[in-house]
Amino acid sequence: DEIIVSDYPTSAGTPATIADQFADARTLDGMQVHRTPGWSANGDHYTYANAVVINEIVLLCRFNGYPTENAAALATFQAAFENKTVVQVDCTSII
């Protein structure tokens, strides 16, 4: 009943269009859609949508140099997984 979808700036072109259309369609299906930042920088594609849920823990990416985006993603995941512990993991080197 709930999903998390990346939220790209409109300047991202195709990724923004696909994510927005998917989120809109799921909303029309009656799902609660949570949006979390997504962007490209220096040819690298950043997203928080690849989180891992293991029992009562949610492992969420964190990227050095993006404190605002990291905080927004953390808040989104904490709202979506209110009964779980969300732990941010530095994924800068694997992006």
Side-chain angles (χ1 to χ4, degrees), residues 6-9 15 36-50 61-66 69-70 90-95:
S6 292
D7 189 11
Y8 297 93
T36 188
W39 70 99
S40 291
N42 303 314
D44 294 323
H45 180 79
Y46 293 84
T47 180
Y48 298 94
N50 296 325
C61 291
R62 177 179 53 76
F63 305 110
N64 291 336
Y66 296 98
E69 293 83 352
N70 291 332
D90 183 4
C91 293
T92 305
S93 66
I94 62 172
I95 199 66

Side-chain angles (χ1 to χ4, degrees), residues 10 13 15-17 21 25 28 34 55 61-62 73 76 78 88 92-93:
T10 55
T17 300
Q21 289 175 350
L28 290 174
H34 301 273
N55 297 323
C61 291
R62 177 179 53 76
T76 297
Q78 287 173 329
Q88 286 188 297
T92 305
S93 66

Side-chain angles (χ1 to χ4, degrees), residues 6-26:
S6 292
D7 189 11
Y8 297 93
T10 55
S11 61
T14 301
T17 300
I18 291 169
D20 290 347
Q21 289 175 350
F22 182 77
D24 291 346
R26 297 302 66 82

